[in-house]
Amino acid sequence: MGKELSVKDIAEMAGVSIATVSRVINQNGRFSKETEERVKKIIEEYDFHPNQLARGLRVSTVRVIGILVPDITNEFFAMIILELQKILMTYGYLTLICNNNEDERIENEQMDMLLGQKVSGIIYVGGRGIAKIRKGLPFVCIDRRPVSAGAESEVPYCLIESDNVKGGRLAAEELYGRQCRNVCVVSYNQEISAYKDRVEGFMQAMRSHGIEPMLCIAEYMNHYNEGENMMDELLEENPGLDGVFFTTDYLALGGLRSLARRKIPVPGKVKVIGYDDISLCENVFPALTTIRQNVKQMAEQAADLLISLVNHETVSRDAISKIDVELISRETT
Amino acid sequence: MGKELSVKDIAEMAGVSIATVSRVINQNGRFSKETEERVKKIIEEYDFHPNQLARGLRVSTVRVIGILVPDITNEFFAMIILELQKILMTYGYLTLICNNNEDERIENEQMDMLLGQKVSGIIYVGGRGIAKIRKGLPFVCIDRRPVSAGAESEVPYCLIESDNVKGGRLAAEELYGRQCRNVCVVSYNQEISAYKDRVEGFMQAMRSHGIEPMLCIAEYMNHYNEGENMMDELLEENPGLDGVFFTTDYLALGGLRSLARRKIPVPGKVKVIGYDDISLCENVFPALTTIRQNVKQMAEQAADLLISLVNHETVSRDAISKIDVELISRETT
DNA sequence: TTGTATGCGTTATCAT
DNA sequence: ATGATAACGCATACAA
């Protein structure tokens, strides 16, 4: 391995001081065009990469963003992370991705490690409770409104989320428009803001048409056989059922399996709508109608916001809007 | 935010020197039970976390493992990463996950950033070519045999992979055993070792039964509509087709959609087998028969191996075995 | 425009 | 068993 190169070595080879090298690397301070060229050439030639730890120690933060997420295996979260990483990379930041299966103990542990690494900021994707967020550390949430452990106002954070109420409404209108009159919502834990909002929007819209949907709550996220089981129960209890809105694609896919197994025509007899628009949706038969969340836009806003925070720019709350959603009409309605 | 705590502060409060604090934190050197207790208590009380950057600067590496992966959105890779992270976490390591869509430029860039961060080691999941691996940096590959840019022998690496030849063979035997005689394999880029091996195993086994399968190559990974398109073509060119082996579940799921759309009975008329056993498999109808890769074991071996490398333990090549695979028989065969 | 010198928070060596 | 101190590689205030 030999000795690793340092700015000192570069400085020597370029015949300048380390200060100058540092200046051209960070493009601040002043230096002549010629010295810049010379230094840059040497850096290039020797494939030198400044030690980020030393830099971080000096400036007390490092160009790394921590990302907390409940389940990377969930395609919706994976898509968000993918986009986040792309964008942050263009800003010159690496991402430290941490999984925690909604396990608060693990989450705290990861948060500690992140703090130990002196990350520049943290993005909290789909998180439920903010364990301990350090004041002053740039922090933005995506997808869910966390419930702070202490007093509500003590934990300020920025939130990027979809317009879930609208999503629910869109689903309701689609179902109603396609003549469904005996409908049901199946969702997850209603303490999670995203799901609560979707259900709320759906309920509101249906009620405005004089329909009172049934509400079923699944227990675990991402166990789509839950969708299948719920659908089974629903079908047996309510033979007249003609439409169901699942607040997650995974759930809906499970429901579809139940329907297919029973050879119940979709959308002929019952129509179904999912939420998220993961890649599976258009690759099952029949292809799943769903509410698409604008993942790209969510990630973009979150990343930009975080970087602004990192750079101590004042961020106007107006810049933070609810991201629009759209209905993707496919074969199940 | 105030001033961040440092060992110095802890030392003062505990009435000892910083050296002692460092010693109890790292549990090396000698110190009395009493001072240990006292220091630990203060650390606990003030929720102190040593600055990992300073530590990293000093010991010239940091407790972070870099993970390179082509597509985090692919559930198979996501599962591996999830497991890796779990295990590495128990060793006290964080993971720096980097996506690169098989884009060598991005990959190099990420590698540079990783090196700048002085990560302890790198795990390369599903990588194709090793751009520039530093000699001496612990490095292990999962899933695919990378093709080194330079001379083969110059780039030594450890590889953890499934027994893909066996997987292909299992698929062939299942199909043959269920009376398929007119079969086809659809795979991806045959320059990727994992896919090549699967096809090879399948071909061998089929040929041993006197059958010569057709081979179709899809262009992009994870675009499952490719599976659908291929299946469409296949069905039109070869009406007698009675079995197909897709070297990836995503592909197979697409194929299933084509079959369902055409109302061709599965497994009645044609049988299909996938590869990986992602969670979708048992949640579509009919549920997909597939070859399950032992993700947990792969991740475990890779992580253990890497940590051994990091700790400069001599690792016996015997410990590195091909991970066994198994056929999960469901409803498509 | 460029160089010198200090300090960031830690670990490790050498004393005591 | 414990303490003082140098060094890690960089950014920056200050000097030139």
Side-chain angles (χ1 to χ4, degrees), chain B residues 7 22 26 48 50-51 58:
Chain B
V7 284
S22 176
N26 297 291
F48 168 68
N51 184 323
R58 185 57 229 255

Side-chain angles (χ1 to χ4, degrees), chain A residues 65-68 77-91 93 95 123-125 140 142 295-296 298-304 306:
Chain A
I65 302 293
I67 299 185
L68 259 31
F77 292 138
M79 291 190 299
I80 288 186
I81 288 174
L82 185 62
E83 288 300 329
L84 281 175
Q85 193 169 43
K86 272 191 206 162
I87 301 164
L88 291 173
M89 184 98 184
T90 69
Y91 283 115
Y93 285 80
T95 49
I123 297 184
Y124 193 57
V125 183
V140 359
I142 300 187
V295 169
K296 207 159 179 170
M298 290 172 83
E300 213 165 287
Q301 279 206 21
D304 288 349
L306 191 75

Side-chain angles (χ1 to χ4, degrees), chain A residues 34-104:
Chain A
E34 300 107 78
T35 47
E36 174 174 10
E37 297 262 313
R38 193 145 34 91
V39 171
K40 275 191 167 172
K41 193 165 149 246
I42 305 244
I43 288 180
E44 181 83 17
E45 182 176 346
Y46 287 87
D47 192 30
F48 168 69
H49 297 281
N51 184 323
Q52 297 299 317
L53 299 179
R55 179 181 190 283
L57 179 59
R58 183 61 228 261
V59 304
S60 83
T61 189
V62 73
R63 294 182 80 85
V64 171
I65 302 293
I67 299 185
L68 259 31
V69 61
D71 181 14
I72 205 186
T73 264
N74 178 321
E75 193 184 320
F76 174 66
F77 292 138
M79 291 190 299
I80 288 186
I81 288 174
L82 185 62
E83 288 300 329
L84 281 175
Q85 193 169 43
K86 272 191 206 162
I87 301 164
L88 291 173
M89 184 98 184
T90 69
Y91 283 115
Y93 285 80
L94 273 176
T95 49
L96 214 32
I97 300 168
C98 300
N99 255 100
N100 55 275
N101 281 51
E102 311 252 6
D103 183 329
E104 200 174 319

Side-chain angles (χ1 to χ4, degrees), chain A residues 6-7 22 26 48 51 58:
Chain A
S6 76
V7 284
S22 175
N26 298 292
F48 168 69
N51 184 323
R58 183 61 228 261

Side-chain angles (χ1 to χ4, degrees), chain B residues 67-99:
Chain B
I67 299 186
L68 259 31
V69 60
D71 181 14
I72 204 186
T73 263
N74 178 322
E75 193 184 320
F76 174 66
F77 292 138
M79 291 190 299
I80 288 186
I81 287 174
L82 185 62
E83 289 300 329
L84 281 176
Q85 194 169 43
K86 270 191 205 163
I87 301 164
L88 291 172
M89 184 98 185
T90 69
Y91 283 114
Y93 285 80
L94 274 176
T95 49
L96 213 33
I97 300 168
C98 299
N99 255 98

